[in-house]
Amino acid sequence: MPITQIPLERDALYIKIESIHTEGKFHWSLILVDATGVARQYEWGAPPRPPAGQRRPPLPPEMFSVGPVVARLLLGCFKIGGYTGGLSHSILEEVGAGTFRRSYETVQQNRAHGLSSSTWVAAVLTTLQEGGRYCEMMAPVPAVKEQILKISQDADLRRLQSFLTGTPYK
């Protein structure tokens, strides 16, 4: 599969959606490109399981990662139209770290408590929007989330159909 480069604008905020190869489930993250053009990806995920026989230590509030992600298929990067600019990486790190103060042992337990990558992205955007300094979104965050989910489901379906029929995915 050829590598496709996606141009990202300076001083912009994006939601990145990746297929996790489970129907209807996606991994969500944020990409901030600052005014100097430095881009970083921010995401939340449950911590890895401890080795057999060991308990997981209590989670620090900073349980989210910044950096590249592998073994997922990019479905889209959605630019946040209401992003007003000026957000620094350090502020986004601080907001991200304070979004979920607790995590559970399994993905299923996290989801049962409303913790997932999509709810983390929505909560971060809501915090930025409530502050009124970085986001002035035209639509409420839940509506934006639903619209992105629909587009992602359609893209994932096209990807699966192209795989099954042996045709290129576009």
Side-chain angles (χ1 to χ4, degrees), residues 7-125:
L8 301 176
E9 296 176 20
R10 287 176 184 246
D11 207 17
L13 185 62
Y14 296 85
I15 297 175
K16 179 180 175 186
I17 305 295
E18 297 167 295
S19 172
I20 58 172
H21 310 295
T22 301
E23 186 178 350
K25 303 282 185 200
F26 306 100
H27 183 77
W28 295 54
S29 59
L30 292 170
I31 297 175
L32 172 63
V33 185
D34 67 18
T36 66
V38 173
R40 289 176 69 184
Q41 176 174 319
Y42 298 83
E43 64 182 330
W44 177 86
R49 300 186 125 223
Q54 294 182 11
R55 286 189 54 87
R56 181 181 299 151
L59 290 175
E62 300 85 28
M63 190 59 217
F64 75 104
S65 65
V66 176
V69 177
V70 294
R72 298 185 188 127
L73 178 69
L74 176 65
L75 293 176
C77 284
F78 302 85
K79 184 178 176 187
I80 303 298
Y83 174 67
T84 56
L87 182 61
S88 69
H89 290 287
S90 60
I91 291 173
L92 187 53
E93 287 173 16
E94 184 180 316
V95 171
T99 298
F100 289 163
R101 296 247 177 232
R102 175 158 190 192
S103 185
Y104 298 88
E105 292 289 321
T106 67
V107 170
Q108 292 79 13
Q109 288 173 327
N110 280 319
R111 287 194 179 134
H113 288 90
L115 306 180
S116 69
S117 61
S118 66
T119 56
W120 180 84
V121 165
V124 169
L125 290 176

